[in-house]
Amino acid sequence: MDIKNGFPGAVGNTPLIRLNSFSEETGCEILGKAEFMNPGGSVKDRAALYIIEDAERQGRLRPGGTVVEGTAGNTGIGLAHICNAKGYRCLIVIPDTQSQEKIDTLRTLGAEVRTVPAVPYKDPNNYVKLSGRIAAEMDNAIWANQFDNLANRQAHYETTGPEIWTQTGGKVDAWVAATGTGGTYAGVAMFLKERKASLKAVLADPMGSGLYSYAKTGEITIMGNSITEGIGNSRVTANMAGAPIDDAIQIDDQECLRVLYQLLRKDGLFMGGSVGINVGAAVALAKQMGPGHTIVTVLCDSGSRYQSRLYNREWLASKGLTMPE
Ligand code: PMP
C-alpha cells in the first residue's frame, strides 16, 4: 500500500524529469525537479507545509487560528490548501501586479485576499510588511513570513535536496535556480554541497533583480525589469543569507520566452515564467561547463497560472516582447 495522508502527506516526492530537447542540444543531462506536480501546483507547497507545521509544534498556531502572509501567489495557494485541510483561516496580501489566475485561485480556495499596490520593500505599505502588521494585530494568528522564516529553506534542506541526491544517485554536477525568498535555492544548495563539495551552485536571476550583481560584486544594483513573477529580489533574505553561491547567470525575458516555448513544443511541458529563467540558466551553464555534466534545476509551477500573459500574443506585445514562432 502507498497511501498519502491528506494534502500535507501528498507534498513533495516529485519526479525529476530529463529535459530531452535541452539535454540533446547541450550534451549535458539537464534535469528539472517537477515541483508543479505538488498537490497545490507549485514548489511553494513545501515551504507552506513546513512553516505551518513549525508554528504548530511551537504552539504559535492553535485550532481555528489564522495564517497571514504577503505573497506573489504560490505560497498563498499552498497555505490556503493546507489551512483548509487543517481547519485554519487564511489571509493573503498580494501585489496587484500578479496574474489574475493566481488571485482567482486564492479566492476559490476560500482565502481572504487583499490586493495592494506594488511598492518597494522600503515602503511601509509594501505587501510583505503590511501582512506582518495585520498578523500582529490579530488573535491566534501567525505571520508565515516566508522570506525570513527559516522553516522555508529547511523544507528544501530536508526534502527537495535529499530527493535530488537520491534521484540522481549522487551524479549531479551543478544546481541552478532563481530565487524569490531563496528557500528553494538555499536549502537545496546547502544540502547538496554538504554531500559533494565539488558541486557548483549557481544563482539564476531575471532582469530587474539585484541578486545577480550581488553574487558578482557584493553590491545590489538593479537594471531593467521582467514579466516573470515570484522571483528576483532587492535584498538578501534570511533564507538566502549564508547560502553557497559559486556563480550567477542573468536571463532576460525574451530568452525566458524562447525556453518556455521550446519546453512547450519540444518537451511537452507547459511551464510558468520562472521555469524559463531556470532552464535558460541551466542551458547557459551547460554551455560554460561543456558536455557530459548533470545539471539540476526546478520546474516551479505550470503555465496555466499565466495563460493570459505568457501564452497570449497581445499581452506579450504590450510588454514589447515577441511570442516565439
Ligand atoms: N517560481 C515561482 C513561480 C514562485 O512563485 C517562487 C516563489 N515566490 C519561486 C520560483 C522561488 O521560490 P523561492 O521562494 O523558494 O525562492
Side-chain angles (χ1 to χ4, degrees):
M1 295 225 300
D2 180 17
I3 293 163
K4 312 288 186 199
N5 188 10
F7 184 103
V11 173
N13 286 310
T14 54
L16 187 61
I17 301 179
R18 180 176 192 266
L19 304 178
N20 287 327
S21 77
F22 296 96
S23 298
E24 275 141 35
E25 275 173 21
T26 58
C28 284
E29 291 295 295
I30 298 191
L31 311 177
K33 188 74 170 138
E35 292 302 292
F36 66 92
M37 292 174 75
N38 276 304
S42 90
V43 66
K44 299 303 308 202
D45 287 2
R46 296 187 194 249
L49 182 61
Y50 262 61
I51 287 170
I52 288 181
E53 295 197 336
D54 184 55
E56 287 175 334
R57 268 195 304 276
Q58 293 175 4
R60 290 188 291 118
L61 185 60
R62 299 182 303 281
T66 305
V67 178
V68 182
E69 183 60 323
T71 158
N74 280 329
T75 303
I77 292 169
L79 290 170
H81 277 286
I82 297 163
C83 284
N84 285 351
K86 286 177 174 275
Y88 300 120
R89 291 175 53 214
C90 186
L91 193 162
I92 299 300
V93 184
I94 185 168
D96 59 10
T97 47
Q98 302 303 297
S99 80
Q100 196 59 42
E101 287 90 327
K102 288 192 292 194
I103 295 170
D104 291 345
T105 303
L106 283 165
R107 294 214 161 104
T108 299
L109 287 167
E112 181 181 338
V113 182
R114 297 195 193 162
T115 53
V116 295
V119 295
Y121 184 73
K122 60 180 188 305
D123 189 314
N125 286 324
N126 170 272
Y127 71 109
V128 174
K129 289 185 176 155
L130 199 58
S131 69
R133 286 205 301 278
I134 292 171
E137 287 163 6
M138 290 171 74
D139 285 335
N140 192 13
I142 61 152
W143 180 34
N145 189 18
Q146 58 170 333
F147 288 91
D148 296 309
N149 181 342
L150 296 181
N152 170 1
R153 84 173 178 204
Q154 195 64 16
H156 299 284
Y157 181 82
E158 287 182 11
T159 70
T160 323
E163 288 169 29
I164 291 170
W165 185 255
T166 307
Q167 285 169 317
T168 56
K171 200 187 161 310
V172 49
D173 301 303
W175 157 249
V176 57
T179 79
T181 64
T184 312
Y185 174 84
V188 171
M190 289 164 96
F191 179 84
L192 292 179
K193 279 275 202 185
E194 277 173 24
R195 289 298 167 106
K196 191 175 193 173
S198 65
L199 175 123
K200 243 177 117 115
V202 179
L203 188 134
D205 214 26
M207 304 304 291
S209 168
L211 298 176
Y212 173 79
S213 78
Y214 171 74
K216 290 285 191 187
T217 68
E219 305 263 320
I220 295 207
T221 335
I222 297 180
M223 280 193 319
N225 52 48
S226 174
I227 57 167
T228 58
E229 297 177 29
I231 54 171
N233 213 323
S234 59
R235 70 181 180 105
V236 178
T237 62
N239 277 294
M240 268 308 275
I245 305 176
D246 294 311
D247 202 359
I249 293 173
Q250 197 165 39
I251 299 291
D252 68 23
D253 283 345
Q254 198 60 60
E255 171 64 1
C256 167
L257 288 171
R258 185 192 71 77
V259 168
L260 286 179
Y261 280 77
Q262 180 169 330
L263 280 166
L264 181 66
R265 291 171 178 151
K266 291 198 173 161
D267 294 280
L269 290 161
F270 180 34
M271 296 286 95
S274 65
V275 179
I277 302 292
N278 284 349
V279 175
V283 168
L285 184 60
K287 288 178 183 157
Q288 283 174 21
M289 292 177 80
H293 294 97
T294 299
I295 299 173
V296 175
T297 190
V298 52
L299 311 178
C300 310
D301 67 359
S302 150
S304 58
R305 265 176 200 173
Y306 313 89
Q307 192 144 15
S308 65
R309 294 185 167 194
L310 303 175
Y311 298 92
N312 174 343
R313 191 182 299 277
E314 285 72 41
W315 188 87
L316 290 175
S318 78
K319 301 287 171 191
L321 295 162
T322 322
M323 182 185 271
E325 289 312 324

